[in-house]
Amino acid sequence: MAVRLVVLGRQGAGKGTQCLRLTQHYGAPHISTGDMLRSAVAEGTEFGRQAQEIMNRGELVSDEVMIGVVTERLSRDDVVEHGFLLDGFPRTVGQAEALDDIVAGDMGLAVNIDVPLDEVRARIKGRGREDDTDEAVDRRLALYEQETAPLLAWFTGRDMLLNVDGLGTETEIAMRLIEVIDAHR
Ligand code: AMP
């Protein structure tokens, strides 16, 4: 059966890694808006150039643009057939409301990979990625609290939120996720 999942969590919580595990397990396509933007940057389009500038500052691409990108992606056959694992979208309440419209109210479940702020800061420092300047990291984490954390209450209000402790080994967390998802779908 097709699975529809929204994966939430701070930058550095392990969303990308766990989405790969979940994709292998459930067969639904992993749709990462960050990856989609990074491919646009790599292609060197005008859109990619603008996105890169926003991403390097740690700001968010506008809801209007992101909703357009995701609407197009969710209309493809693989999604219709196998569902989706959304990573990095929605990131604002406006995007969540748009998603609700795109899927006509059938959003499935949201899982929050919960890792405390101090721990994600230490992890991001450790990986030393070029776009992880101190300013950009601080801005992304601040925007998460301001724009994305309200989604936890938004999904809870719709009885859709599952919270998973994100501390532990990759395999432990993958097992926790699958267990809680299977118990609720
Ligand atoms: P991520 O790989 O999900 O951390 O995304 C990397 C960057 O892409 C973010 O810091 C944002 O600048 C941008 N981005 C990705 N997804 C979104 C989204 N849903 N809304 C706005 N900006 C986004």
Side-chain angles (χ1 to χ4, degrees):
M1 194 184 85
V3 61
R4 292 179 166 193
L5 283 175
V6 168
V7 181
L8 298 167
R10 294 188 173 94
Q11 182 189 24
K15 289 193 299 290
T17 309
Q18 291 301 328
C19 280
L20 290 180
R21 296 282 195 124
L22 294 175
T23 278
Q24 284 165 2
H25 186 82
Y26 291 110
H30 172 206
I31 300 177
S32 156
T33 46
D35 286 351
M36 291 167 85
L37 293 172
R38 283 182 286 273
S39 330
V41 171
E43 281 163 20
T45 59
E46 174 58 18
F47 169 63
R49 205 191 51 71
Q50 288 171 10
Q52 179 164 42
E53 204 253 321
I54 295 168
M55 291 160 82
N56 284 348
R57 281 188 285 129
E59 298 293 330
L60 294 177
V61 174
S62 75
D63 279 1
E64 194 190 352
V65 166
M66 293 313 302
I67 290 164
V69 166
V70 170
T71 302
E72 193 280 326
R73 181 66 188 85
L74 293 183
S75 71
R76 303 219 198 131
D77 288 350
D78 59 342
V79 169
V80 175
E81 207 172 323
H82 302 292
F84 55 75
L85 264 161
L86 271 175
D87 167 6
F89 185 98
R91 242 185 175 87
T92 65
V93 170
Q95 292 179 12
E97 282 167 353
L99 177 62
D100 198 26
D101 287 343
I102 299 168
V103 299
D106 187 7
M107 270 197 279
L109 293 168
V111 281
N112 178 41
I113 304 178
D114 191 19
V115 176
L117 209 44
D118 287 349
E119 172 67 18
V120 294
R121 253 186 233 288
R123 288 185 190 180
I124 297 167
K125 275 211 181 111
R127 73 185 185 185
R129 236 166 49 182
E130 200 191 324
D131 60 339
D132 287 344
T133 61
D134 284 348
E135 289 86 11
V137 170
D138 285 346
R139 184 67 184 143
R140 284 189 205 113
L141 291 173
L143 273 177
Y144 187 87
E145 302 310 316
Q146 194 182 310
E147 300 288 342
T148 309
L151 288 179
L152 301 177
W154 193 91
F155 282 113
T156 302
R158 281 160 184 74
D159 217 10
M160 283 176 61
L161 189 77
L162 308 173
N163 212 52
V164 167
D165 177 4
L167 294 179
T169 67
E170 196 182 310
T171 301
E172 277 165 1
I173 298 159
M175 283 165 54
R176 275 179 213 150
L177 283 165
I178 290 166
E179 189 178 308
V180 78
I181 291 163
D182 285 347
H184 288 85
R185 78 193 186 102

